[in-house]
Amino acid sequence: MQSACFTAETTTNGVIEHDFTVGGVTGAFWSPQRADRAPLVLMGHGGGNHKKSPAMLGRARLLALHGGFHVACLDAPGHGGRPRTAHDEREIAAMRQAMEAGEPVGPIVVRYNAHLAERAVPEWRAALDFLLGTPWVGADEPVGYFGLNMGTAIGVPLTAVEPRIKAAVFGLHWPDALAEYARRITVPIEYTLQWDDEHIPRESGLALFDAFASKEKTLHANSGSHKELPRSESDSAVRFFVRHLEQPEPQQPDLTW
Amino acid sequence: MQSACFTAETTTNGVIEHDFTVGGVTGAFWSPQRADRAPLVLMGHGGGNHKKSPAMLGRARLLALHGGFHVACLDAPGHGGRPRTAHDEREIAAMRQAMEAGEPVGPIVVRYNAHLAERAVPEWRAALDFLLGTPWVGADEPVGYFGLNMGTAIGVPLTAVEPRIKAAVFGLHWPDALAEYARRITVPIEYTLQWDDEHIPRESGLALFDAFASKEKTLHANSGSHKELPRSESDSAVRFFVRHLEQPEPQQPDLTW
């Protein structure tokens, strides 16, 4: 077991926030006040972001307050103040150059995210060992994963190999490095894409959704560009985890025709 | 104005239900107890069903209790005890024959639903004139439409011509007779399809979603066959109408990337 501990604790409007580290990897952990044992939702942040970006804080609050979940987010490798390798610096520079030259960033993002996933997947599994060993979460509580963009590039390979993850929300990524892992995922998933995404071709998003081997899966496609994901999709994710982590009975199909 | 009146009234667990007729067309109207002015959601039932089938009663309750809406449903032409024409009888017999012979029913359903829509659209508009003239609903309240299958075959041409409908939930139909109307619809819509629908090819559902001219539109595609629509999609529809009928400000795009 790697060295791991919780550090600072703050409480804001009904949500308790802890910082923690596991083997040098920095993370944040949120709980509703007076929460007992509850399922845990892991959140993956996007590229260029960190564990307490506005999107992460917003989703953590929704999950904790509306879903009653414990929530955890790790800084991805090279993010959130974690040291960058020479490889990180080269790829970040390559992305910047491509954006400035008006060239497609997709191929670089796919390649770099796949590299980050190789580093991040074992970090997440170690963090899960640590968190499930705490008195608040407990070893038997079901675990969910919620991450878009780079959070999906890491979360799909993670969910393919980590049996403790019982449900996941993904979205907004190219299928290239991910389809082979998606075909190994059988837990319920929700996948979101933007119908007018200027970076990720629509057919690519549909193909990745199709690749998931889950018996229960849902696609949400919203009109709008890559960055115009509606806020309502976060609410949808919370309800998805409530259905799948807190209600273990399978959903009865609705008798409409 | 056609002759119209409310008839029987019952109250069950917080929802008041009225029967009504407009120009001989039978309908049902639901309200939350102690409801004042509230937006109105029109529901279209599926082929072979009627205004108080289990699916309609279930959705009416969700809309009234969780959304605070008034709700109305009409018996479609030839349904719910309304007299069938010779045309109705011929098409129903044709569908039965096709099903018994194991032949595709799609072409017959598309054709017959288009015929029913021609009769039903003016009936819905007259019902709307009546309901918006009642003290409970009021002429200025926004109106939504929620109907799948045959409910979509009627609802799409209706929404294309009826400006009082401000948001709609559709799904589970072939695009053939509907795409031209969809291209005239600009209000927010949510469209649901079944990813493994054995009657409606997936590409057809995606093409119909693509045809809607709405600036704001969302596709929900769930794994499963034609009849396996998850119950959670009714909850999703309620939240859609809460967002679009009760909150007139446009949704701010979420700042995630």
Side-chain angles (χ1 to χ4, degrees):
Chain A
M1 171 76 102
Q2 304 179 50
S3 75
C5 65
F6 281 101
T7 53
E9 175 186 332
T10 55
T11 302
T12 311
N13 292 335
V15 178
I16 307 173
E17 179 185 290
H18 281 99
D19 287 355
F20 68 91
T21 62
V22 181
V25 177
T26 44
F29 178 76
W30 296 269
S31 288
Q33 270 184 295
R34 294 182 292 284
D36 205 339
R37 293 295 186 86
L40 170 66
V41 177
L42 311 176
M43 299 191 305
H45 66 75
N49 257 297
H50 61 91
K51 65 183 181 290
K52 291 193 196 178
S53 61
M56 293 301 103
L57 293 177
R59 289 177 198 167
R61 287 194 67 78
L62 287 179
L63 286 162
L65 291 177
H66 295 194
F69 297 115
H70 299 297
V71 189
C73 185
L74 297 182
D75 286 315
H79 288 71
R82 292 181 61 189
R84 285 180 178 171
T85 61
H87 188 135
D88 292 331
E89 299 290 6
R90 277 196 308 273
E91 292 286 48
I92 289 164
M95 284 190 295
R96 275 214 182 93
Q97 267 163 18
M99 283 190 236
E100 278 159 19
E103 287 160 11
V105 290
I108 306 170
V109 171
V110 166
R111 177 181 78 209
Y112 183 40
N113 281 351
H115 164 78
L116 290 172
E118 284 177 15
R119 288 155 64 185
V121 166
E123 293 176 354
W124 270 112
R125 302 192 80 182
L128 206 43
D129 290 339
F130 166 60
L131 293 168
L132 293 181
T134 62
W136 307 285
V137 187
D140 300 328
E141 288 290 347
V143 178
Y145 181 94
F146 180 15
L148 310 178
N149 296 286
M150 185 182 76
T152 274
I154 292 172
V156 168
L158 171 65
T159 303
V161 301
E162 176 49 76
R164 292 171 292 188
I165 294 174
K166 304 299 187 189
V169 177
F170 299 124
L172 303 175
H173 206 271
W174 298 258
D176 309 59
L178 303 184
E180 59 164 303
Y181 293 107
R183 284 189 273 274
R184 291 155 55 183
I185 291 175
T186 57
V187 296
I189 65 112
E190 197 167 275
Y191 191 88
T192 189
L193 64 84
Q194 290 297 101
W195 197 245
D196 313 299
D197 196 314
E198 69 276 29
H199 298 299
I200 305 171
R202 186 185 295 168
E203 296 67 35
S204 299
L206 295 172
L208 181 51
F209 174 70
D210 198 37
F212 287 99
S214 318
K215 187 168 183 296
E216 273 192 72
K217 58 184 183 183
T218 303
L219 170 74
H220 284 190
N222 286 280
S223 54
S225 65
H226 186 73
K227 288 195 174 185
E228 289 178 329
L229 181 77
R231 280 193 201 285
S232 52
E233 287 300 333
S234 292
D235 301 309
S236 179
V238 173
R239 286 186 304 275
F240 169 87
F241 288 118
V242 168
R243 283 198 302 279
H244 291 290
L245 299 183
E246 291 182 359
Q247 293 167 13
E249 304 81 42
Q251 276 259 306
Q252 293 300 320
D254 199 337
L255 289 174
T256 55
W257 54 90
Chain B
M1 173 77 101
Q2 303 179 51
S3 76
C5 64
F6 282 99
T7 54
E9 174 185 332
T10 56
T11 302
T12 311
N13 292 335
V15 178
I16 307 172
E17 179 186 289
H18 280 99
D19 287 355
F20 68 91
T21 62
V22 181
V25 177
T26 44
F29 178 75
W30 297 268
S31 287
Q33 270 185 293
R34 295 180 293 285
D36 204 339
R37 292 294 186 87
L40 170 65
V41 177
L42 311 175
M43 298 191 307
H45 67 74
N49 257 296
H50 61 90
K51 65 183 181 290
K52 292 192 195 176
S53 60
M56 292 301 102
L57 293 178
R59 289 177 197 165
R61 287 194 67 78
L62 287 179
L63 286 162
L65 291 178
H66 294 196
F69 297 116
H70 298 298
V71 188
C73 185
L74 298 182
D75 286 316
H79 288 71
R82 293 181 62 188
R84 285 180 178 171
T85 62
H87 188 134
D88 292 330
E89 300 288 7
R90 275 196 310 271
E91 294 286 50
I92 290 163
M95 284 192 292
R96 272 211 185 97
Q97 268 163 18
M99 283 189 237
E100 279 160 18
E103 287 159 13
V105 289
I108 307 171
V109 171
V110 166
R111 176 181 79 209
Y112 182 40
N113 281 352
H115 164 78
L116 290 172
E118 283 177 16
R119 289 155 64 184
V121 166
E123 293 177 352
W124 270 112
R125 303 192 80 183
L128 205 44
D129 291 339
F130 167 59
L131 292 169
L132 294 181
T134 63
W136 307 285
V137 187
D140 301 328
E141 288 291 347
V143 178
Y145 181 94
F146 179 15
L148 311 178
N149 295 288
M150 185 181 77
T152 276
I154 291 172
V156 169
L158 171 66
T159 303
V161 301
E162 176 49 74
R164 292 171 293 188
I165 294 174
K166 305 297 187 191
V169 177
F170 300 124
L172 303 174
H173 205 270
W174 298 258
D176 309 60
L178 303 185
E180 59 164 303
Y181 293 107
R183 283 190 273 273
R184 292 154 54 180
I185 290 175
T186 56
V187 295
I189 67 112
E190 198 167 275
Y191 191 88
T192 188
L193 64 85
Q194 290 297 101
W195 197 245
D196 312 299
D197 196 313
E198 70 276 28
H199 297 299
I200 305 171
R202 187 184 295 168
E203 295 67 34
S204 299
L206 296 172
L208 181 51
F209 174 70
D210 198 37
F212 287 99
S214 318
K215 186 167 183 295
E216 272 191 74
K217 59 184 183 183
T218 303
L219 171 75
H220 284 190
N222 286 281
S223 54
S225 66
H226 185 74
K227 289 197 175 184
E228 288 178 330
L229 181 77
R231 281 193 199 286
S232 53
E233 287 300 334
S234 292
D235 301 310
S236 179
V238 174
R239 287 187 303 275
F240 169 88
F241 288 117
V242 168
R243 285 199 299 280
H244 291 290
L245 299 183
E246 292 182 359
Q247 293 170 12
E249 304 83 40
Q251 275 261 310
Q252 292 301 318
D254 201 339
L255 290 173
T256 55
W257 53 89

